[in-house]
Amino acid sequence: MSSSKCARLAGAAAKDFLSGAVDTVLFDCDGVIWRGDQVVPGAPRVINGLKRAGKQVFFITNNSTKTRRMYAEKLRRMGFEVREEEVFGTAFCTALYLRRVARLEGKVYLMGGKALCQEFDAQGIPYLGPGPDPVSGGMGDWAGVSRDPEVRAVVVGFDEHFSYMKLTKALAYLQDPSCLFLATNTDTRLPLEGGRAIPGTGCLVRAVETAAHRQAQIVGKPTRFILDCVSREYTINPARTVMVGDRLDTDILMGTNCGLRTILTLTGFSTLEDVQAHQSSGCPSRQGMVPDYYVDSIADLLPALQG
Amino acid sequence: MSSSKCARLAGAAAKDFLSGAVDTVLFDCDGVIWRGDQVVPGAPRVINGLKRAGKQVFFITNNSTKTRRMYAEKLRRMGFEVREEEVFGTAFCTALYLRRVARLEGKVYLMGGKALCQEFDAQGIPYLGPGPDPVSGGMGDWAGVSRDPEVRAVVVGFDEHFSYMKLTKALAYLQDPSCLFLATNTDTRLPLEGGRAIPGTGCLVRAVETAAHRQAQIVGKPTRFILDCVSREYTINPARTVMVGDRLDTDILMGTNCGLRTILTLTGFSTLEDVQAHQSSGCPSRQGMVPDYYVDSIADLLPALQG
């Protein structure tokens, strides 16, 4: 463990780093550039400034509740200069995974909301399952729930209509070992403004995994699939790319896994105490969650972009 | 690992064991004496025979969907001679836990069905939560769901109406570290007749644990609490008590944890291959899941009780 890890990024060091060592900056969204519907003060000026300085900027988010278009609209409303093609969320990337990696032929049993439906539609991926699915009948009926024989994959994303009936159907499909099992992400909570939180997709994924006695393939961070999606469309040099995020177990770990530089911002989920716990754990697998740098807020990078 | 472990219990050895070494026999239900609504052939004659031979017999089940009375009625319908007081299920034992161990003052936020409600009513434990709880509003509303300030415990049992809204409410209560967090059991699946299965309470528990960043206290096997409930009412000598079950990770492990003899029956969940995997794992913590004996069905014990 190098003692130079997790240094505060500020002043001349920040200026040298951003101007000399970085071509591409990847930003997580929730907890980094906004919290719920509140923009992080200064974030638009930082991101617009990076772009004016000639950097590639991408938005890399595990949240599956928005399409690329919805993200671009929210970003623009908050003052960010952004093109839809710079946004890589798990609704979009899950559709890409099914199309390009799994080369799915058949339907998806989908636990998810409108954004996943729209991104699946855009890729021509047929699905069933969204919306409320009330419980009916008794135990014997649940085991006999009708299965569509064309379903070849179960996808778990954020689903406000998650229910026992949906869990039962997912299990029925996943008992066939050839049925693909995919999850958008495993974040345990979705942070909202004011320090409040609601259960994240990870809770639903663990419920389905527990029933199925199988582990889902994860599209989101910390796996490298989202970065692979970016790399397919743009030229990315990992050694000159930095990942900026608020979660050690997703953002920072993904950056480490992909050979990127990493910056933790303290406006979201993880704390410097969490970093310290990983550093002092003596556990090699936890060192990947220690960032290269930290900032209190990405607004701290503003001086390095000026003058 | 003694080579004498997991021996088939049959013939003279079975007769010697049951007549000379055993005062009390604890039976799991699902997968042992019945599968769904099908009685295991011969099971009533074995259990009635044990009682006639002067043994104490108890029914020890993780399933929270029946009260003591419902169990006694189902058992009698199938031909078992039984008193309600010989049945210890997790609906009943969870109510006892709240009353005697936690000495709860306040209400329970309950994920569970009718049986848990009735056992809570019988113990005078106030609760809220059962029944359907449809999603309404958007993300901001969910984080602001109304909390009853009198709730001092969250209990997760089998709940066919489990939903995202219930998960959100459980998280809201469990963010208070002083709120008790209890689960009836962690069985991952509920076996039905014909080899079919539906998701078990363990799936719901994992979802809530993942949201809450806390682990639930478990009432059911493999913890010793159910046996403690039996021991409070009856004289139990662990060295002369045998636990008969179909699951290595609940029934057999509980037996080992409590210093009982153990018999695996192959009419349910676990197999001899599962036993072999534990035996050959070299992992001390898995040796507790290796039973002393096994039978193909508890009907195999019938000859040992005759003549």
Side-chain angles (χ1 to χ4, degrees):
Chain A
M1 185 65 247
S2 153
S3 62
S4 68
K5 271 222 130 183
C6 201
R8 182 190 284 273
L9 189 63
K15 192 158 191 159
D16 291 351
F17 177 67
L18 288 178
S19 63
V22 172
D23 295 332
T24 303
V25 189
L26 311 175
F27 284 95
D28 178 39
C29 296
D30 289 311
V32 177
I33 61 171
W34 64 53
R35 282 170 290 203
D37 285 323
Q38 304 284 318
V39 68
V40 168
R45 286 167 68 204
V46 169
I47 283 169
N48 300 344
L50 284 166
K51 289 186 155 193
R52 271 182 220 118
K55 312 297 180 193
Q56 294 191 107
V57 173
F58 300 102
F59 301 90
I60 306 288
T61 169
N62 273 359
N63 189 313
S64 69
T65 67
K66 289 184 182 64
T67 61
R68 292 186 117 176
R69 174 166 302 173
M70 294 173 192
Y71 271 114
E73 286 166 359
K74 177 169 178 175
L75 285 160
R76 281 190 208 110
R77 267 199 314 275
M78 289 180 168
F80 297 93
E81 292 161 15
V82 63
R83 290 178 301 116
E84 207 172 302
E85 293 73 22
E86 292 162 347
V87 180
F88 292 81
T90 53
F92 173 68
C93 291
T94 298
L96 286 194
Y97 188 99
L98 292 168
R99 187 51 67 229
R100 290 185 190 160
V101 180
R103 298 177 186 280
L104 184 77
E105 295 186 9
K107 295 180 191 170
V108 172
Y109 179 70
L110 172 62
M111 293 183 188
K114 276 182 197 162
L116 277 157
C117 295
Q118 288 178 19
E119 298 289 16
F120 280 22
D121 288 340
Q123 297 290 328
I125 298 164
Y127 54 86
L128 52 100
D133 194 351
V135 171
S136 60
M139 295 205 183
D141 304 305
W142 307 335
V145 287
S146 70
R147 273 179 287 191
D148 184 326
E150 289 178 35
V151 167
R152 304 302 309 138
V154 168
V155 171
V156 183
F158 182 81
D159 185 356
E160 66 200 63
H161 297 291
F162 184 77
S163 67
Y164 186 75
M165 188 55 101
K166 293 192 177 199
L167 185 58
T168 301
K169 289 183 180 173
L171 170 55
Y173 287 117
L174 290 170
Q175 284 188 286
D176 174 355
S178 74
C179 182
L180 184 70
F181 183 16
L182 206 59
T184 58
N185 64 299
T186 55
D187 297 58
T188 59
R189 292 181 181 178
L190 215 56
L192 300 182
E193 53 264 66
R196 295 170 307 160
I198 56 175
T201 305
C203 306
L204 318 185
V205 176
R206 295 301 171 227
V208 179
E209 287 182 335
T210 303
H213 300 175
R214 291 173 59 177
Q215 280 204 296
Q217 171 70 36
I218 310 302
V219 170
K221 300 167 284 185
T223 79
R224 59 173 302 124
F225 182 70
I226 303 186
L227 187 63
D228 292 343
C229 293
V230 182
S231 301
R232 215 183 135 106
E233 307 290 333
Y234 300 91
T235 302
I236 303 289
N237 176 355
R240 295 184 58 83
T241 298
V242 60
M243 175 73 215
V244 186
D246 71 314
R247 287 191 70 123
L248 302 175
D249 60 345
T250 54
D251 303 316
I252 303 306
L253 185 56
M254 187 274 267
T256 305
N257 287 344
C258 297
L260 316 180
R261 315 294 279 274
T262 54
I263 302 175
L264 173 71
T265 177
L266 299 176
T267 47
F269 188 85
S270 298
T271 65
L272 287 181
E273 288 69 43
D274 298 331
V275 174
Q276 181 57 40
H278 291 310
Q279 276 182 316
S280 59
S281 69
C283 173
S285 70
R286 291 176 66 180
Q287 301 309 322
M289 290 190 270
V290 177
D292 294 307
Y293 303 104
Y294 80 92
V295 291
D296 289 328
S297 157
I298 63 165
D300 294 358
L301 301 176
L302 208 49
L305 295 169
Q306 291 169 329
Chain B
M1 186 65 248
S2 154
S3 62
S4 68
K5 270 221 132 185
C6 200
R8 182 189 285 274
L9 189 62
K15 191 157 191 160
D16 290 351
F17 177 67
L18 289 178
S19 63
V22 172
D23 295 332
T24 303
V25 189
L26 310 175
F27 285 95
D28 178 39
C29 296
D30 289 309
V32 176
I33 62 172
W34 64 53
R35 283 170 291 204
D37 284 324
Q38 303 285 320
V39 68
V40 167
R45 287 167 66 204
V46 169
I47 282 169
N48 299 345
L50 284 166
K51 289 184 154 196
R52 268 181 224 121
K55 312 297 179 192
Q56 294 190 107
V57 172
F58 300 102
F59 301 90
I60 305 289
T61 169
N62 273 0
N63 189 313
S64 68
T65 67
K66 289 185 181 64
T67 61
R68 292 187 118 176
R69 174 167 303 174
M70 293 174 193
Y71 271 114
E73 286 167 0
K74 178 170 178 174
L75 285 160
R76 282 191 207 109
R77 268 200 312 275
M78 288 180 169
F80 296 92
E81 292 160 14
V82 63
R83 289 177 302 115
E84 208 172 302
E85 293 72 22
E86 291 162 348
V87 180
F88 292 80
T90 52
F92 172 69
C93 291
T94 298
L96 287 193
Y97 188 98
L98 292 168
R99 187 52 66 230
R100 290 185 191 161
V101 180
R103 297 177 186 281
L104 184 77
E105 295 188 9
K107 295 180 190 170
V108 172
Y109 179 70
L110 172 61
M111 293 184 188
K114 275 182 199 162
L116 277 157
C117 294
Q118 289 179 18
E119 298 289 16
F120 280 23
D121 288 339
Q123 296 291 328
I125 298 164
Y127 56 85
L128 52 101
D133 194 350
V135 171
S136 60
M139 293 204 185
D141 303 305
W142 307 334
V145 287
S146 68
R147 273 179 286 192
D148 184 326
E150 289 178 36
V151 167
R152 304 303 308 136
V154 168
V155 171
V156 183
F158 183 81
D159 185 356
E160 66 199 62
H161 298 291
F162 184 77
S163 67
Y164 185 75
M165 188 54 102
K166 293 193 177 198
L167 185 58
T168 301
K169 289 183 180 171
L171 169 55
Y173 287 117
L174 290 169
Q175 285 188 285
D176 174 355
S178 74
C179 181
L180 184 70
F181 183 15
L182 207 59
T184 58
N185 65 299
T186 54
D187 297 58
T188 59
R189 292 182 181 175
L190 216 56
L192 300 182
E193 54 265 65
R196 295 170 307 159
I198 57 175
T201 305
C203 306
L204 317 185
V205 176
R206 295 302 172 226
V208 179
E209 287 183 334
T210 303
H213 299 174
R214 292 174 57 178
Q215 280 204 296
Q217 171 70 38
I218 310 302
V219 170
K221 297 168 282 185
T223 79
R224 59 172 302 125
F225 183 70
I226 302 185
L227 186 63
D228 291 344
C229 293
V230 182
S231 301
R232 215 183 134 105
E233 307 291 332
Y234 300 90
T235 302
I236 303 289
N237 176 355
R240 295 184 58 83
T241 297
V242 61
M243 175 72 214
V244 186
D246 71 315
R247 288 189 70 121
L248 302 175
D249 60 345
T250 54
D251 303 315
I252 303 307
L253 185 56
M254 187 275 266
T256 305
N257 287 344
C258 297
L260 316 181
R261 314 294 279 273
T262 53
I263 302 176
L264 173 70
T265 176
L266 300 176
T267 46
F269 187 85
S270 298
T271 65
L272 287 180
E273 288 69 41
D274 298 332
V275 174
Q276 180 58 39
H278 291 311
Q279 277 183 314
S280 59
S281 68
C283 173
S285 71
R286 291 176 66 181
Q287 302 308 323
M289 291 190 269
V290 177
D292 295 307
Y293 303 103
Y294 79 93
V295 291
D296 289 328
S297 157
I298 63 166
D300 295 0
L301 301 176
L302 208 50
L305 295 169
Q306 291 169 330

